[in-house]
Amino acid sequence: MKLATSLAFGASLLVACGGASSERADRQARDQDYALAERAFSERRDDEAERRFVAIIGQRQHVAPAEAALSQYRVAELRERALQLDEAEAAYAEVERFNVPDRTALARYRLARLKLERRADASGAYAMLREVVLQFPETGAADRACKDLAIRRTSSNEVDVKLDREVVDFLGTFAEAHPDSSVADNALFWKAYVLVYRLGDLGAARVVLHQFVGRYFLRPLVDDALWLLASIERRQGRYREAILVYEAQLDFRHEQDSLFGSYRSRRLDDASAAAGAVAFHGLRDFERAERAYRDLLLDFGSSVLRDDAYWGLCAARFAQGDVEGARAAATDLLTERADSRHATAARAFLAGTGPAMSPDEHKIRSPLADPFVRGEM
């Protein structure tokens, strides 16, 4: 009896192991199929990629919903890439049937973008972007939708102004109603963007950006928010406040380094140079300007702004009566950047035939440049 029981147990164990082994093999085969499809997609072998993704979708009873949804999304991208735009819209709409929220959100976003680019059913497209924010506020698609609501343009300036006001109301209302959602910082930032670059309401934008900095100091857009806030303060003549914001941006680097590792901002050397320029030309606080320019030279060895810092340092020292220090800065400028746009002025200063830079408020009151148009966002 014991022998029969043991044999039966052994047989059932073999069946179970065999079943598990078969499932692993099937899983590995499906993983390989998907990897081959993605590789074909990335290498732009579009016919092969679509064939493979369609095959994966056809096995949806064996494929995880997220994988099937992404395959359908890829099919839509392929149709869009082939400029089969009606088919692309239909394929994006099909993603929703797999009931995968992240992918549904992204498909709705891309569908709205496609409608905007085709200038078809613009009001419906804007409504879809708003719905992505409202229904999927924890997704990257919602972040993108906020941005698109802010930057989209139509062929009519009158329509754009009306939409801009609606976007400001929508993003502001959403941010206030859902302050803890992951998209709330995007909503506030892009509200400020529209206020500045579309409606020209710097005062209202300043209030919104102060709210942003107070609430979302550890969110990714804080760098852009601080830069825009400092630019507004500077443009409106609040020079001391502008410098404080630039300095906060620089201090934030050290706080982020200790909390999350290295903080990588493309604007830190710009902030240091801007603090020096505003102190020199706006406040005429030459000691503070000298400190800012010196810090830039110490902290940013590869910055393209180093020649500006040397020339600023020369001017700040000269304004304080430190002629030898000013000459040393001009000499260092020519040694490190002989082809600098300041080189001619630096040589004239050293030769005694030209002055150091003088304070000029107009140099720091320039119009606000749209970072999106400049390719900075």
Side-chain angles (χ1 to χ4, degrees):
M1 192 69 175
K2 289 181 180 180
L3 178 59
T5 302
S6 297
L7 289 173
F9 176 76
S12 63
L13 185 61
L14 286 172
V15 170
C17 290
S21 177
S22 176
E23 287 179 10
R24 280 197 301 272
D26 289 345
R27 177 71 260 178
Q28 288 171 353
R30 288 196 297 272
D31 288 346
Q32 184 178 24
D33 288 343
Y34 187 79
L36 289 170
E38 283 288 348
R39 182 171 181 176
F41 180 85
S42 65
E43 294 178 355
R44 303 188 75 87
R45 290 182 277 114
D46 292 356
D47 290 342
E48 178 188 344
E50 182 164 346
R51 186 175 67 253
R52 290 184 179 279
F53 283 125
V54 168
I56 291 169
I57 296 166
Q59 304 171 35
R60 64 177 296 188
Q61 67 272 25
H62 304 294
V63 175
E67 197 170 294
L70 181 53
S71 296
Q72 178 65 42
Y73 183 81
R74 288 286 190 245
V75 169
E77 288 185 298
L78 287 165
R79 301 276 168 80
E80 185 175 354
R81 201 147 77 181
L83 299 181
Q84 299 170 351
L85 302 184
D86 288 337
E87 293 86 346
E89 288 194 10
Y92 281 127
E94 279 289 294
V95 173
E96 199 157 340
R97 68 190 175 95
F98 296 97
N99 197 29
V100 178
D102 284 358
R103 197 55 52 183
T104 295
L106 193 54
R108 285 195 195 176
Y109 164 74
R110 288 293 292 269
L111 182 56
R113 277 288 303 269
L114 190 53
K115 287 182 180 295
L116 285 175
E117 289 164 8
R118 299 183 76 183
R119 297 194 181 279
D121 188 22
S123 61
Y126 300 139
M128 288 180 68
L129 290 172
R130 290 192 293 269
E131 284 302 308
V132 169
V133 176
L134 291 170
Q135 294 186 22
F136 305 97
E138 305 304 319
T139 67
D143 295 343
R144 297 185 193 185
C146 287
K147 180 177 179 179
D148 272 44
L149 284 167
I151 67 175
R152 83 284 163 284
R153 299 285 87 188
T154 73
S155 57
S156 166
N157 184 64
E158 184 178 346
V159 171
D160 282 339
V161 171
K162 177 178 180 293
L163 289 170
D164 287 334
R165 293 193 178 110
E166 290 176 359
V167 166
V168 164
D169 289 341
F170 170 75
L171 294 178
T173 299
F174 177 87
E176 291 304 314
H178 308 280
D180 297 324
S181 69
S182 64
V183 74
D185 58 325
N186 283 263
L188 269 188
F189 175 81
W190 290 108
K191 175 184 177 181
Y193 175 94
V194 175
L195 286 167
V196 173
Y197 297 110
R198 304 305 192 206
L199 300 177
D201 191 342
L202 300 188
R206 180 173 178 263
V207 172
V208 172
L209 289 167
H210 273 290
Q211 290 175 343
F212 180 103
V213 173
R215 295 178 187 176
Y216 306 116
F217 206 66
L218 298 179
R219 298 283 185 91
L221 281 171
V222 68
D223 195 42
D224 298 296
L226 287 169
W227 184 258
L228 183 53
L229 176 58
S231 299
I232 292 172
E233 302 285 23
R234 173 176 170 171
R235 183 76 182 86
Q236 295 192 320
R238 285 184 291 273
Y239 298 132
R240 198 171 303 279
E241 289 83 352
I243 292 174
L244 288 174
V245 177
Y246 288 130
E247 290 176 346
Q249 197 161 8
L250 290 160
D251 290 341
F252 180 53
R253 171 189 51 172
H254 302 299
E255 184 176 342
Q256 280 282 66
D257 284 348
S258 63
L259 290 173
F260 302 110
S262 182
Y263 169 51
R264 304 190 186 283
S265 166
R266 64 187 180 280
R267 290 201 176 102
L268 290 179
D269 56 339
D270 297 88
S272 191
V278 174
F280 184 84
H281 294 292
L283 293 181
R284 303 196 177 202
D285 184 339
F286 304 122
E287 182 179 350
R288 194 171 192 173
E290 178 183 4
R291 186 166 62 249
Y293 288 129
R294 188 176 63 242
D295 287 347
L296 189 156
L297 293 167
L298 289 172
D299 291 344
F300 304 103
S302 60
S303 172
V304 297
L305 301 175
R306 287 179 65 81
D307 57 338
D308 294 327
Y310 277 124
W311 186 233
L313 189 61
C314 170
R317 286 174 174 172
F318 188 78
Q320 295 176 82
D322 182 3
V323 178
E324 288 307 309
R327 291 180 62 83
T331 301
D332 288 340
L333 164 61
L334 294 172
T335 300
E336 185 174 313
R337 301 282 173 87
D339 60 346
S340 166
R341 63 193 179 96
H342 302 299
T344 300
R347 291 190 184 97
F349 173 73
L350 290 172
T353 59
M357 178 171 56
S358 300
D360 180 357
E361 190 175 2
H362 292 292
K363 291 186 177 181
I364 56 170
R365 294 289 293 275
S366 57
L368 296 177
D370 187 334
F372 180 76
V373 172
R374 290 162 62 94
E376 297 173 355
M377 298 195 69

